[in-house]
Structure formats: C-alpha cells, structure tokens
Amino acid sequence: MLAFLPLYQQAILSLAAMILFTSFVLLAQNGVLAIIHVFAWQGLLVAVTTAFVAFDSGAGHLYFSALMTITLKVIFIPWLLHRLVRRLGIDRETHSVERPARVLMSAAALVVFCYYVAQPIQQYSAALTRNTIAISMSVVMLGMLMLITRRKAVSQVIGFMSLENGLFFAAVSATHGMPMFVELGIAFDVLVAAVIFGVFFFHIRDSIDSLDVGQLNRLAERDE
Amino acid sequence: MSHHLFVQMLAFALGGSLGSALVSLVADRYPRVLSRVAFPALAVAGAASVTIGLEAILTGGRFAVELPLGLPWLHWHLKLDPLAGFFFSLIGIGTLAAGLYGPAYCREFRHGPYSLAVLGLATGLFIAGMQLVVLADDAFAFMIAWELMSLSSYFLVGYQHQNAANRRAAFFYLLMAQIGGLSILLSFGVLAGFGHGFTFEEMRAAPLSLSWSSIAFTLALVGFGAKAGLVPLHAWLPEAHPVAPSHISALMSGVMLKVSVYGFIRVVFDLIGSPHWSWGVALLIIAGITALYGVLYALLQNNLKRLLAYSSVENIGIIFIGLGLSIIFYGTGQHLLGTLGLVAALYHSLNHMLFKSLLFLGAGTVLQRAREHDLERMGGLLKALPWTGLCFLIGCMSISALPPSNGFVSEWVTFQTALQATSLESGVLRAVIPITAAVLALTGALAAACFVKVYGVAFLGLARTRRGRRCTEAGPGMVGAQGMLAALCLMFGVFPTATVTALNHIVTDLTGHALTAATANGWLWLTPISSDTASYSAPLVSLGVLLSLAAWAVVYLVLRPGGHARMTRGDTWDCGFGPLNARMQYTSTAFTMPVQRIFKPFWDLREEVEREPRNGLPQEPERLRHQLHVDDISWRLLYTPVVKLLHATTRRVGRIQTGHLRHYLAYSFITLILLLWIIT
Amino acid sequence: MKIWALALLQSTAFVLLAPLFAGWVKWVKCRLQNRRPPPLAQPYRDLWKLFGKEALLSHNASILFRIVPYIVAGATLLAAAVVPLLAVNLPTAAIADVIVLTGFFALARFFLALAGMDVGTAFGGMGSSREMTISALAEPAMLLAVFTLAMVAASTNLSTVIEQVLSDGLVLRPSLLFALLAMCLVAVAETGRIPVDNPATHLELTMIHEAMILEYSGRHLALIEWAAQLKLMIYGVLIANIFFPWGIATTPTPVALLVAVAAITAKLSILGVLLATGESVLAKMRLFRVPAFLLLALTLGFVGLLSHIILEIR
C-alpha cells in the first residue's frame, strides 16, 4: 500500500511518526534545556512536514506557514525560553517526571484512543495525508498530558506550545492549512503567549520563590 | 474403546480416588494405610484417567453415562468428550504424580499433631471432585462436583491448622470459592432459564440475546476467574496454595486452576456457543494485567511456594490471553485464528499443569529435606539434591519459556496468534492486540529473571544453612514423580507437532473449525498459519542443544582423560580480601533490587531497617537487619475498602436487631403479610 | 543437498567471521581514540590462547558451571544458523523464526546468569541480577520491533521479511525506521556495549556481563567470549540485512553469492564504524540510567508499531 505512494508522501508519513515520537520524548524528558531542544526539533519537523504538504498539494501559502513555524517555533521561542532559563538560573534544574512508566503507558493509551476517535473523521477527508489526523490529535493529547503531569512552569509552557504544534499539524494535514488570517492570528497569539509567560515566570518566582506551579495553590482562599 | 470398557476404566478412575478417600478413614489408627493403599489407589486412578482421557481425545469419541444419583427428575449426566478428556487426563497426570510423591512426603505428618485421616479423605474427595467437574454434563452435577472440590480443598489448605495464618488463608479461600461458586450458579441460571433445563444439552440450545449472553459470560468470567486467579480476584491464591501440603499445592496450582479454565471454556465456547468479540477484548485486557501482575509479585517473593503461587497467577494470565484472542478472532469470523488461540490456551494449560506441579513438588522436596521455605536461607541445594535439582532446572526452563522446552511452544503460538491482528477490520483491535503481545513479552522476560533468581539462590551457590549442606536426596517415589513430570515437559517441548495435532482434534470437536496448515509439513515443522508466515522446528532445535551437551561430554569423557583439556580447582576469586562465605552471596532480595526499583509503584513495599549503632561510629553499625515486606496492592485498592463497606452496611442493618421479642414477632408478621400480598 | 551445504557454509562463515567483526570494531575504536590498534586478527589469537590454557575452576563450582559454556555457545550457534547472512530461503532459516531467535538468546542468557550465581560470589550474583534486569526490559523492546516487522511483512520468518522488504524497494516506512532505531538500542544493551555496559572494563562494580563470567577461564571463557562475539555479529547482520537487505542473494548462484559477500562486508564495516564511533563519543551510563535508555527503546518500538497501524494501513 505504502509502496505505491510517491516518495515525498512517504516522507510526510515518516515525519508524522517522528513528530509523535518527539511528543513521547517531551513527556519523558527531565532536563529543562533538553525539553526546550526537543521542542525546537518538533517545531522543525512540523515545519518540514508543512513544506512537504505544500509541495504535495500545491497550496502555496503553506510554504509561508512553514517559514513562519521555523522562525517562531524553531528559532524565536526556544531562544526566548533558553534566555529566560539562563536568567532565572534554572538551566541545571531537572524537572523530574513523576512515575514515567505510568505517564508513558497513559500516553500510549491516549494514542490508541485518538486513533479510535479519528477513524470516522478520516473517512470524510480526501487528502492523502488523512492518516496523519490521528497522529496530530495524539500530539494535542500528549501536550495536554504534559500540562497535567508537569509541576514546573517552564515544562508546562512547552507542553502548551507542543499542543499548539499538534493543532497546527492537524490543520495542515486535514485541510491543508487554515486560512491565512487565522494562521497569522494564532501565530501571533503564540508569540504573545510566549512573551507573557516569560514575564510571568519572573513574577511567579518573585511571589512564591519557585517555579513549581504546585505551590500556586497557596494563593487560593482556603480555610485552614 | 467400547462403552463397556469405558465404564470399567471410569470406575477405576473415580473408584480409585473415592476409594482412596474411604480407606484413609482408618489412617489415624493404621498410618501405613495412607502410603500402602491410599496413595497407590490415587496413582491407579490417575493412570486410568490418563488412559480414558487420551482415548477420548484421540478417537474423538463421546462416552456418556447417566448415574441414578441426584434429584429424582434429574439424574447425574456424565459425559466425556475430547475437551473433557483433555482436562481429565491433565487431572490424571497430576494425580499420578501426587500418588507417587505422596507416600514418602506424607511420612513426616505421621508424627505430627494433624490427622492423617483428614488428609487422605480430603485428598481423595478433592480429586474425585475435580474429575466429576470435568465429567459433568448437567449444571446440577457440575455444581455439586464443584463444591465438593472447593470444600475438600478448604480442608487441605487448612490442614496444618495450628498456625493461625493457615486458618485465615483457608477461610479466605473458602469465602472466595463461595463467591465464585455463586457467580457460576447464576451464570448457569441464565442459561438454564432460557434453555428450559439443566442439562448442558438443553443449555446449549438456549436462544440468548446478546445482552443476556453477555451477562452469562460476565458471571462465568467472575466465577471461574475467581477460582483461576484472575486479577483482582487472585488474592486468595498466594495465601492458600503455599500453606497446603506440597503435593496438594501441586494439585491446586497445577490441576485445580486448569479445572476452572475448563469450566470457562465449557461455558463460553460450548454452552453460550458464539462468543462476541468485545468479550475477548475485556478478557484480553484483564488477562494481560493478570500476567504482568503475577510475575511482578512472583519476582519479589522470598517464600518459594508463595512465589510459585504468584507465578501461577501469571500463567493463568497467559492462558486467558490465548482465550481472549480466540474469542476475538471467532467473534470476528476468523475461525482459523480463533482455533489457533484456543489451541495455544490449551497447550499452555497442559504445560502449566506439568511444570507448576513439578516445581511445587520440587519445593516440597526442599521443604522436607532441607526444612526450608525461605529462599534467603537456601543455597547450594544442587549438590545435596542432584536429581531434584535437575528436575527443578527443567521446570524453571519450561516456565521461563526457553526453547526447546514446552513453555516456549505455547507462548510462541500465542505470539503467532496475536501477530495476526493485522487481518482484523477494527483498527483499535489491531493496536490493542500487539500491545498485549508486548506485555506478554515483558512477562516472559521477567519470568526468566524470576526463575534465574529461584534456581540461582536456592540450588546454586553456597549453602546458607547447616541443614541445607547436610541434607540428602529424597526417596525414589518423590524423585520419580518429579522425573516423570520433567520428562513430560521435555517431551511436549520437543514434539509440539503431535501435541498440536491432538489439541486440534479437541478444538475441532468443540467449535467445528480446524487448523489446516499447522502440522502440514510433517512432524519436524510447526507452522501455525503457513510455512511462509512462521515455522519452528523443535526437534531440530533440541538436536542442536543436545549436540552442545554432546560436545561437553566429548571434552569431559574423551579429551580430558587423554590429557588434552586440563582443569584444576582453586579458590574463588575474592579480590584478595580473604575467604568468602555464604553470607556474602547475592540474596533473593538483592537479586531483584534493580527490578524493584524500576517497577516501584506496582507493589506496596515496606522496608524495615534495624541498626544497632556502634559507639560513635554511625557509619559502621554493630548489627544491621534489613527486611522487605511486599504487600499485595489489591488489598489496599479492593479488598480493604470492600470489607469496610461490608462492615458499615452490616452495622447499619444490624440496627434492626433490637433484642425485643415483640420486634421480631412484628418482623415475621410483616413478612407474612407481604408474602400474602405478593401471592395474591 | 546443495542448498543444505550452502546453509552449512553460511553458518560456518558466521562462526568464523564473528571474531573478525569484533576485531574490526576494536580496530576502528582505537583509531578514533588515537591509539595504536591491535591487528585485526587479535581476537583469533586471544581465542586460540584461551583454548590452549587449562581451565581453572572454583572449588564451589557445580557441574552446571562446566556445562554452561557449551550451552551458551550452542544456543548462540543455533541463532547464527537461522539468520540469513548471504542468502535467503536457506533450509536452516525455517528452523526458527525471529521470535525463536530471541528465545535462543534468552536460553543462553538464562544459563549464563545461572553460572554467575553458581560459585557464590557477590560479583557473579550482581552480574546475573543486572543482566536479567536489563534483558527483562530489552526483550520486550526487541519483540516490539520484531512485531512491527512481522506486521509489515505478515511473517516472522526472517527470509520472508527480508524478501518482503526487498520487493517493496526503497520505501520510507516510519514503522521500519522506528523499529530500526529500537533494534539498535536493544542491540547495544544486549551485546553489552557502551553506553550500557563496557566490554573492556575491569572495575568489577560497574560491570554487568563481565561480572557474571568473572570466574570463567581457559576454554570455558573462550567459548563464552566467542559466543559474545557471535551475538554481536548476529545483531549486526540482523540490522544490516533486515533494514538494508540490498545485495543479499535471493538465488543460490555463484554470482549472486559473490555480490552478497561484498554487500554484507560493506554493510558490516559501516556498522562497525558506527558502533565504534558511538562507543567513543558516549560515556557509560550509571546502571539506573539504563532503564531510561531501554524505556526509550520501548517507546521507539511502540511508536513504530503504532505508526504501522495508524499510518500504513488504510
């Protein structure tokens, strides 16, 4: 089946699998800098996939999306986070994953679940990349899982960004991208989010002396 | 075999076990009766069971008798078809081994505080119960036999009743057995309700809707699963199996669990008939969890028999994985693969019966000769018990699923079935089944680690106790029983093609579908689906292993006397620090420490460290004691909450017990009025 | 008959060339680390020397200890017999499929671990415990990769798998890509190479494989070392011939066989260089980092399996 597809379409599928793999790695990764690097790699993979899809479908605006992904998610945001982490002095810190085996197992279950959910959707899509819908959904889900399982703010932000990667990838693979305006809007949202997060890190640390968001529950009004 | 001959053999099989029970009644006065009459009778019963079981499998014959017992309008129907024959011969092999092993093993009970009569009586009834379960052809006889099996084994579990833990284990066992029995009864109730009759013939014809058959399936799963030890209903198993006398442990783990597998197959594949694929998915998930759970707990045990009991949980999981696959494939119309799954499950049932009985008998020998059940205090037993050690090694190889042993074949066939998941329509099934196969792979690898630990710590290395160093090999009966089982393990590993052919007969008879290509290429090659898909030649592999043993023999017998292969003995390397002693060896706990660290959340671990500090030197304590307790997590997650809930409910219900006579009269009065109202 | 002879020839070549491959890896590693390399034939000399020496046995060693080297060598030899080195469709390949192949390794490992515990030293027990732990995680990862292969080719027979990959031509299969990566990690763990274990170490506390066989000497040690080299070569050939099968002989003609010899030599040389580079670049991990490494292998195998199911089947 696969053998009859042109090579660049095979490449799209392989890249999709690699994007999924980076999501798994993000889930299990401990070091702060390593997480940022993996995120950059994921962005690069998404960008390359987008370029391939653009070539496959002839949708010229996707090249622009790819370029934007590279500047934003491969270069700018990782650079910003890198700088933040340095300035906050937490580049040596490890954000240990609690019970990595359990997290990975639930991740696996999520992927199977996404596949189950995506199967009916796939039938409505005519694109050759429809098989990747399940993958992109999985990337979204794994991003959410990362948001849930991490305690430190930086890795949560990465989880959020990776979730956004999944959404973007879903748009690219299912419908050959969203309209340009929407895409631009989202891109700027992400950009602004990254900057605001950066500012917030300092504030969080100033107010609770840590970037552990588990500590934020101290801000809740409770009777103790 | 003519019908007449069959009845005669059946009389031998049942008469042997029942007779052994009766004769044992006088064992307290004449202890020799047990070893001279009761156990030989069991051996005869076992041999007769194997004979008619094999006959039923090979000829595909069905033998039926009706006994004038039971209810006036419902006589006991007994029938032996190939499926029943298979399990009947499993019981036979176990009984034969117990009959050979028992006389010498039970000698130590002669001078103990416990009644020999109870032991003999309960053993005979236990075996007769299992035989009747397999023979039963109506629900009534089945349930009577089932309860006979449960009750008599209760007395065997609680046999050494002066120990409070044994009594507790026995009670818990009885409780779980009753819950399971009730569930089975309800399942039969559903089938009988729609079939308008209690014979299996009528139940088979019951027209069931999907929801009612699902209910019957679930009840059967709970009932037989509780007896077989599916997680989370397994908790009685590691308590009850280790405390029974060892030949009984062998029968319980090796044979009784298979009887509940039989019951499950009978109800699901035969009585309900057309299983739905979604049951298979549920079963597959439960079985996968059971297998992994069992092996992880087995790994951390230090009590040898408890370890073996947990390993039974693991193997039951493997058997049910095969059954789950089979249901999925039958349910989706892939009959060939469904048959293959069922064959795998039956094959593993056979194997587990053989090697688990073998290992329990080995553990019993160690218990009797070295007086030790704790792995931490064994060691070096291979030198004291060479034959037991050899048999135990074969058992360990089989249970670790190493080629060319029998355990490997059944796991391999299970893998092959699972790998055909690509032929399924449903994408999720295609994903779930290989994941289960991966769990099975993990289980197999962990089981190998577990039994390397067992054998390495118990039989190799240096003896940790005086008695372990000094003890001598058991008598011919005990060794013979183990030798027989070990030889069977090897035989069923080396000649899988013949075995699969026989199992194919059984499954064909049961479901009407046959494997076509599995044995098509002659006795050398096992090709479950086709020779292109996968092939395995156990005889050639065994030849290879034999050749490497032969190479050793040549070096040892030919070259060494010729002065070519020289060998000298020296001290063990001790890094130059002085002599090593037995306490410096790796212990059982130490061996599993890395695994324990990796899979930590799966257990409830309690670590006890006692240190007696030396004056001023906290780093170098005078004495250090470390102990690791492994608690079954199912207690915390399931049993304790259930018990708490029960207590709370009973306390609430108990309020109606006011103690006033008037109130009780009022209850009766109200009940009477209610009943009258219902009747009208 | 001729084809059986060819099968025998192939197995013999396997056994005889295994030390050469080990020597090649060592040679490249020395060059990369600016050391003077030993001659390529050094492993042969070592084996010869060991075979000539008398075997020294501990007083505590049981008979099992003496039999184990033969079983280990025999099981590894059986494994070598079923792996297609030069040609597919040889009769020996039907003896066992890929799952049985992992079974052979499990058999060898089981007995080696028992031998480690036999003498009763802490080192032996330590090595056995670690080896079994690592294999308990590596084996499922290996089998996940194998399952992926089996599902791609609808077969677990190595010959069929290779022919399937050959007939597909150059296809970028995400599943095979991940299976390849998983297999590489497993191969590193199972053959005891850096970063999991260090084959050249002499610090007992960090050893895994070497700790287990610490008590062996003479011809026993030679057999075990030979088996280890054979195992390394088997994994190399598996990776080379399953994922890059081009060049392997599908018909037993002399020309095809010559091409196959050239192809496998080239592939193994490249693999050797890659392995040596990896070993020079990476440092050995702490023991308790190894589970994370193998978890990565498991994840790779798993993603491979899923991507086959999700992406490649319609």
Side-chain angles (χ1 to χ4, degrees):
Chain A
M1 182 63 225
L2 197 64
F4 301 117
L5 295 178
L7 199 59
Y8 54 88
Q9 287 182 1
Q10 295 170 14
I12 291 174
L13 296 184
S14 299
L15 286 165
M18 280 189 232
I19 293 172
L20 181 64
F21 178 65
T22 49
S23 272
F24 271 96
V25 175
L26 276 178
L27 269 178
Q29 195 59 261
N30 284 330
V32 185
L33 291 180
I35 292 179
I36 296 174
H37 291 158
V38 175
F39 169 69
W41 277 106
Q42 191 179 46
L44 185 64
L45 286 170
V46 171
V48 175
T49 319
T50 313
F52 271 115
V53 173
F55 177 68
D56 178 35
S57 64
H61 71 279
L62 282 181
Y63 285 117
F64 183 71
S65 302
L67 205 66
M68 204 162 62
T69 311
I70 288 190
T71 37
L72 264 182
K73 289 186 197 142
V74 185
I75 300 168
F76 180 68
I77 294 178
W79 170 78
L80 190 74
L81 288 173
H82 231 272
R83 211 178 59 126
L84 274 173
V85 164
R86 288 260 161 77
R87 283 181 45 189
L88 289 164
I90 52 170
D91 47 344
R92 292 260 153 209
E93 225 172 78
T94 55
H95 293 185
S96 64
V97 190
E98 289 163 40
R99 302 193 165 161
R102 203 175 281 189
V103 171
L104 282 182
M105 271 195 282
S106 31
L110 272 179
V111 176
V112 176
F113 175 72
C114 288
Y115 178 45
Y116 173 66
V117 175
Q119 260 188 329
I121 306 175
Q122 282 179 11
Q123 288 165 6
Y124 293 107
S125 171
L128 273 163
T129 44
R130 61 185 177 177
N131 278 3
T132 50
I133 294 175
I135 300 279
S136 49
M137 271 182 78
S138 313
V139 174
V140 173
M141 293 288 175
L142 297 191
M144 280 192 182
L145 188 66
M146 191 170 169
L147 275 172
I148 295 168
T149 51
R150 296 303 181 120
R151 300 175 63 93
K152 295 289 170 74
V154 180
S155 28
Q156 281 199 321
V157 168
I158 297 275
F160 173 75
M161 300 275 176
S162 144
L163 186 155
E164 203 278 333
N165 269 345
L167 282 177
F168 177 74
F169 182 44
V172 168
S173 58
T175 60
H176 293 166
M178 293 172 269
M180 205 60 221
F181 282 116
V182 182
E183 245 168 60
L184 273 178
I186 292 179
F188 278 110
D189 277 353
V190 169
L191 189 64
V192 171
V195 174
I196 292 179
F197 275 129
V199 178
F200 258 106
F201 287 162
F202 286 100
H203 280 277
I204 294 173
R205 197 188 50 167
D206 285 346
S207 49
I208 60 173
D209 270 343
S210 155
L211 278 181
D212 188 341
V213 289
Q215 310 253 338
L216 284 177
N217 63 359
R218 277 197 283 161
L219 302 176
E221 281 185 41
R222 278 188 305 188
D223 314 315
E224 281 180 35
Chain B
M1 193 188 279
S2 70
H3 192 264
H4 181 67
L5 194 58
F6 165 74
V7 172
Q8 272 185 344
M9 289 302 278
L10 192 63
F12 263 112
L14 282 174
S17 45
L18 287 172
S20 147
L22 282 180
V23 164
S24 307
L25 285 174
V26 297
D28 276 336
R29 182 161 298 178
Y30 311 101
R32 280 174 188 232
V33 163
L34 210 57
S35 55
R36 295 274 163 83
V37 186
F39 278 114
L42 284 185
V44 169
S49 308
V50 176
T51 316
I52 42 178
L54 279 181
E55 177 72 22
I57 298 170
L58 295 178
T59 60
R62 296 158 184 282
F63 305 103
V65 276
E66 205 176 311
L67 296 185
L69 290 170
L71 303 177
W73 65 90
L74 184 67
H75 289 165
W76 282 20
H77 294 73
L78 301 184
K79 195 172 94 180
L80 198 73
D81 60 357
L83 179 71
F86 172 70
F87 284 94
F88 206 68
S89 38
L90 289 196
I91 298 172
I93 298 171
T95 310
L96 181 58
L100 293 176
Y101 187 86
Y105 182 73
C106 290
R107 204 167 290 150
E108 64 172 312
F109 294 121
R110 258 188 221 176
H111 310 292
Y114 306 113
S115 158
L116 285 181
V118 172
L119 180 65
L121 179 70
T123 308
L125 289 179
F126 175 47
I127 290 167
M130 292 195 290
Q131 287 171 327
L132 285 171
V133 167
V134 173
L135 285 174
D137 197 34
D138 66 82
F140 188 70
F142 188 97
M143 285 317 295
I144 298 234
W146 185 266
E147 293 300 336
L148 180 65
M149 173 179 94
S150 294
L151 272 178
S152 48
S153 51
Y154 160 75
F155 286 106
L156 291 168
V157 171
Y159 180 60
Q160 283 153 317
H161 54 79
Q162 287 186 354
N163 188 341
N166 294 6
R167 289 201 301 273
R168 205 171 47 239
F171 175 72
F172 186 42
Y173 167 55
L174 189 66
L175 187 70
M176 293 301 284
Q178 288 312 308
I179 293 173
L182 193 67
S183 186
I184 296 169
L185 192 65
L186 289 175
S187 174
F188 278 142
V190 171
L191 290 170
F194 284 91
H196 305 292
F198 284 95
T199 63
F200 284 173
E201 199 62 55
E202 287 160 318
M203 287 180 167
R204 222 166 268 143
L208 286 176
S209 65
L210 179 61
S211 45
W212 275 111
S213 60
S214 297
I215 290 173
F217 168 81
T218 313
L219 287 168
L221 178 64
V222 171
F224 293 112
K227 196 75 173 177
L230 285 181
V231 172
L233 302 172
H234 69 287
W236 61 272
L237 208 148
E239 308 293 327
H241 286 202
V243 301
S246 294
H247 63 293
I248 300 298
S249 313
L251 280 174
M252 286 181 76
S253 251
V255 183
M256 188 179 75
L257 300 188
K258 305 300 139 5
V259 172
S260 46
V261 171
Y262 162 79
F264 184 78
I265 294 178
R266 178 63 80 196
V267 170
V268 173
F269 288 86
D270 190 12
L271 300 187
I272 299 182
S274 50
H276 192 256
W277 63 267
S278 61
W279 307 346
V281 180
L283 191 58
L284 200 60
I285 292 169
I286 295 174
I289 294 172
T290 302
L292 189 60
Y293 193 100
V295 75
L296 281 174
Y297 275 85
L299 250 169
L300 254 61
Q301 303 302 318
N302 289 334
N303 179 329
L304 180 54
K305 284 174 78 175
R306 205 175 152 85
L307 183 149
L308 291 176
Y310 267 118
S311 141
S312 291
V313 174
E314 175 221 336
N315 281 284
I316 284 294
I318 298 175
I319 293 172
F320 276 86
I321 286 179
L323 291 177
L325 288 173
S326 173
I327 292 179
I328 291 178
F329 283 121
Y330 273 129
T332 48
Q334 309 252 12
H335 299 300
L336 175 72
L337 297 173
T339 308
L340 192 62
L342 202 48
V343 165
L346 290 180
Y347 207 144
H348 203 73
S349 302
L350 167 70
N351 294 340
H352 182 241
M353 184 265 133
L354 292 172
F355 55 63
K356 192 47 65 70
S357 302
L358 169 61
L359 292 175
F360 262 117
L361 294 186
T365 313
V366 172
L367 193 59
Q368 196 201 33
R369 310 311 295 184
R371 304 252 159 236
E372 200 53 70
H373 58 78
D374 189 358
L375 278 173
E376 303 278 33
R377 293 162 56 77
M378 292 179 192
L381 289 172
L382 182 62
K383 284 164 196 149
L385 310 168
W387 292 111
T388 305
L390 177 64
C391 296
F392 205 86
L393 180 64
I394 292 170
C396 286
M397 277 178 69
S398 302
I399 203 167
S400 311
L402 301 175
S405 70
N406 57 351
F408 178 76
V409 185
S410 47
E411 279 195 27
W412 186 75
V413 178
T414 314
F415 277 133
Q416 291 299 341
T417 318
L419 287 181
Q420 297 307 312
T422 29
S423 62
L424 289 169
E425 281 294 309
S426 155
V428 178
L429 284 186
R430 280 201 302 256
V432 169
I433 293 175
I435 294 172
T436 321
V439 170
L440 185 58
L442 178 62
T443 309
L446 286 170
C450 179
F451 283 91
V452 164
K453 170 187 109 161
V454 169
Y455 201 78
V457 171
F459 284 88
L460 304 177
L462 304 172
R464 289 182 175 82
T465 56
R466 239 170 104 88
R467 204 187 274 275
R469 198 162 43 242
R470 296 272 168 83
C471 66
T472 52
E473 182 58 283
M478 285 166 76
V479 172
Q482 297 175 60
M484 179 189 81
L485 292 172
L488 286 174
C489 276
L490 290 180
M491 197 187 88
F492 285 111
V494 176
F495 301 108
T497 322
T499 320
V500 167
T501 311
L503 294 177
N504 193 14
H505 283 313
I506 300 167
V507 177
T508 312
D509 181 78
L510 182 70
T511 64
H513 303 286
L515 288 180
T516 44
T519 53
N521 297 350
W523 65 280
L524 266 180
W525 310 95
L526 184 65
T527 50
I529 293 132
S530 71
S531 53
D532 264 352
T533 313
S535 59
Y536 169 51
S537 172
L540 289 180
V541 171
S542 324
L543 185 70
V545 175
L546 272 184
L547 281 180
S548 40
L549 289 179
W552 168 76
V554 166
V555 173
Y556 188 69
L557 297 174
V558 181
L559 289 181
R560 218 155 75 93
H564 288 292
R566 281 167 301 143
M567 198 181 74
T568 42
R569 293 267 184 179
D571 285 332
T572 312
W573 167 239
D574 54 16
C575 301
F577 282 104
L580 299 167
N581 65 36
R583 297 194 54 195
M584 294 177 183
Q585 300 174 85
Y586 244 49
T587 60
S588 162
T589 312
F591 188 91
T592 45
M593 188 271 198
V595 178
Q596 176 214 322
R597 203 167 144 162
I598 297 170
F599 293 94
K600 201 153 201 165
F602 286 89
W603 303 281
D604 271 349
L605 295 174
R606 283 179 295 130
E607 217 166 351
E608 263 177 44
V609 183
E610 278 173 32
R611 42 171 91 222
E612 245 173 52
R614 187 180 288 182
N615 294 345
L617 280 173
Q619 300 303 323
E620 282 182 46
E622 184 80 34
R623 216 165 60 87
L624 200 86
R625 195 167 155 277
H626 171 266
Q627 205 165 9
L628 185 73
H629 299 277
V630 185
D631 293 334
D632 201 313
I633 209 165
S634 68
W635 282 98
R636 178 162 60 82
L637 295 183
L638 178 72
Y639 292 96
T640 317
V642 166
V643 167
K644 271 189 190 148
L645 188 74
L646 265 179
H647 271 295
T649 326
T650 42
R651 218 173 300 128
R652 208 154 291 167
V653 174
R655 281 196 204 135
I656 63 169
Q657 302 269 12
T658 53
H660 295 289
L661 185 61
R662 301 181 295 118
H663 291 173
Y664 292 116
L665 284 173
Y667 295 150
S668 322
F669 186 56
I670 292 168
T671 314
L672 189 66
I673 288 176
L674 273 177
L675 281 177
L676 282 172
W677 181 56
I678 289 171
I679 291 167
T680 55
Chain C
M1 204 56 229
K2 213 159 142 194
I3 202 144
W4 276 97
L6 185 62
L8 199 68
L9 186 77
Q10 175 179 291
S11 307
T12 321
F14 227 124
V15 176
L16 291 182
L17 292 180
L20 185 65
F21 182 58
W24 166 248
V25 174
K26 201 176 269 176
W27 192 87
V28 176
K29 210 165 140 187
C30 284
R31 293 308 300 254
L32 284 172
Q33 297 172 349
N34 279 333
R35 291 184 280 137
R36 236 179 82 192
L40 277 177
Q42 188 60 41
Y44 293 102
R45 293 186 195 169
D46 291 343
L47 287 179
W48 183 251
K49 183 184 74 184
L50 283 173
F51 269 118
K53 287 197 166 196
E54 70 172 0
L56 182 65
L57 234 66
S58 157
H59 290 302
N60 307 328
S62 70
I63 185 159
L64 190 77
F65 191 77
R66 278 185 278 160
I67 299 179
V68 164
Y70 297 89
I71 296 184
V72 170
T76 319
L77 242 168
L78 272 172
V82 299
V83 175
L85 175 70
L86 300 174
V88 288
N89 280 330
L90 292 183
T92 42
I95 293 178
D97 66 345
V98 149
I99 301 177
V100 187
L101 187 76
T102 58
F104 289 146
F105 288 141
L107 179 69
R109 191 190 306 122
F110 183 86
F111 276 98
L112 209 51
L114 283 185
M117 313 223 16
D118 186 49
V119 180
T121 63
F123 285 139
M126 190 168 68
S128 304
S129 160
R130 291 174 176 180
E131 175 93 358
M132 293 314 287
T133 309
I134 287 174
S135 74
L137 293 174
E139 216 179 280
M142 169 85 179
L143 280 173
L144 265 177
V146 165
F147 292 165
T148 312
L149 275 176
M151 289 174 92
V152 168
S155 166
T156 52
N157 269 5
L158 276 169
S159 276
T160 320
V161 172
I162 291 174
E163 282 186 325
Q164 175 74 30
V165 176
L166 263 182
S167 72
D168 270 2
L170 185 69
V171 183
L172 259 183
R173 282 183 186 276
S175 56
L176 287 194
L177 183 72
F178 284 103
L180 167 67
L181 290 175
M183 196 88 121
C184 289
L185 294 193
V186 170
V188 165
E190 288 265 319
T191 52
R193 313 297 297 196
I194 295 174
V196 174
D197 190 6
N198 187 351
T201 186
H202 287 285
L203 266 177
E204 290 94 336
L205 284 175
T206 64
M207 306 192 290
I208 300 172
H209 183 81
E210 298 292 318
M212 206 164 47
I213 60 171
L214 198 64
E215 279 297 317
Y216 275 113
S217 57
R219 56 178 182 278
H220 296 150
L221 185 60
L223 280 173
I224 290 175
E225 296 268 300
W226 202 343
Q229 291 162 355
L230 197 52
K231 191 171 174 183
L232 181 66
M233 171 119 164
I234 290 172
Y235 270 104
V237 172
L238 274 180
I239 290 170
N241 274 353
I242 292 179
F243 297 99
F244 311 98
W246 297 282
I248 199 165
T250 44
T251 47
T253 54
V255 179
L257 285 176
L258 274 180
V259 172
V261 169
I264 193 70
T265 315
K267 284 186 266 186
L268 283 181
S269 318
I270 295 171
L271 268 182
V273 173
L274 288 178
L275 178 62
T277 316
E279 288 205 299
S280 306
V281 173
L282 298 170
K284 188 187 167 302
M285 287 186 286
R286 276 174 63 218
L287 180 68
F288 285 107
R289 296 277 297 163
V290 175
F293 177 84
L294 291 168
L295 204 59
L296 180 67
L298 258 175
T299 314
L300 282 166
F302 186 72
V303 173
L305 188 74
L306 281 181
S307 50
H308 173 68
I309 292 162
I310 297 180
L311 293 172
E312 294 173 12
I313 306 176
R314 304 211 168 191

